[in-house]
Every structure is written in structure tokens, then in C-alpha cells.
Amino acid sequence: MKELAERLKELRKENNISLMTLGKAIGVSDVAVMKWEKNLTEPTASNIKNLAIYFDVSSDYLLGIENYDFTKTD
């Protein structure tokens, strides 16, 4: 899931959130988040849901199905 890895890293960096902070917020380790960002492992459906809620984006956006984040306003 290359799209998820790229979008997750982008969202985390844009919001100035550390791996540890994000991991704690969604109930996983910072190492798990790092592995997702490096596309070494894939998050579970539950973790994708938690990431979407945390960043206020759709799971489709995280997965690369949706190219534009419609939940954000400019």
C-alpha cells in the first residue's frame, strides 16, 4: 500500500506529529507507524479507521482510492 505509506507520512509531517505521538493516539507503537510509513507492513482495517479519524480524512483517501481530501477546507 504505497499510497497509504506516502499519505500517512505526509499527514503526520504536515501536522508536525511525531511517530510516538501518533502511535499513542491510536494505540500502536511508534515502530508500527514507522513500518507503515516505510511500506514494510500494512495496518489493520481497525488501524486505518483510527488513522482516518485521527487525521479527519476518509479511509479511501488514506488508501489512495480518493485523490482529494474532501474533509479539509482551504
Side-chain angles (χ1 to χ4, degrees):
M1 282 199 235
K2 185 177 177 185
E3 293 87 0
L4 183 133
E6 292 170 357
R7 289 184 180 189
L8 175 57
K9 187 171 186 175
E10 179 181 293
L11 285 166
R12 192 176 61 76
K13 297 275 183 178
E14 283 177 1
N15 291 285
N16 198 29
I17 298 166
S18 71
L19 291 167
M20 185 176 291
T21 299
L22 178 56
K24 283 183 180 181
I26 65 165
V28 299
S29 70
D30 56 331
V31 174
V33 177
M34 181 267 311
K35 286 181 177 180
W36 299 338
E37 287 187 1
K38 292 183 181 255
N39 202 28
L40 298 174
T41 61
E42 295 180 356
T44 63
S46 176
N47 287 330
I48 293 169
K49 176 186 168 191
N50 291 337
L51 288 167
I53 291 167
Y54 183 84
F55 286 112
D56 192 26
V57 297
S58 70
S59 55
D60 284 353
Y61 176 76
L62 286 174
L63 295 170
I65 297 167
E66 197 174 87
N67 287 328
Y68 180 76
D69 179 5
F70 291 101
T71 63
K72 300 285 182 182
T73 58
D74 293 326

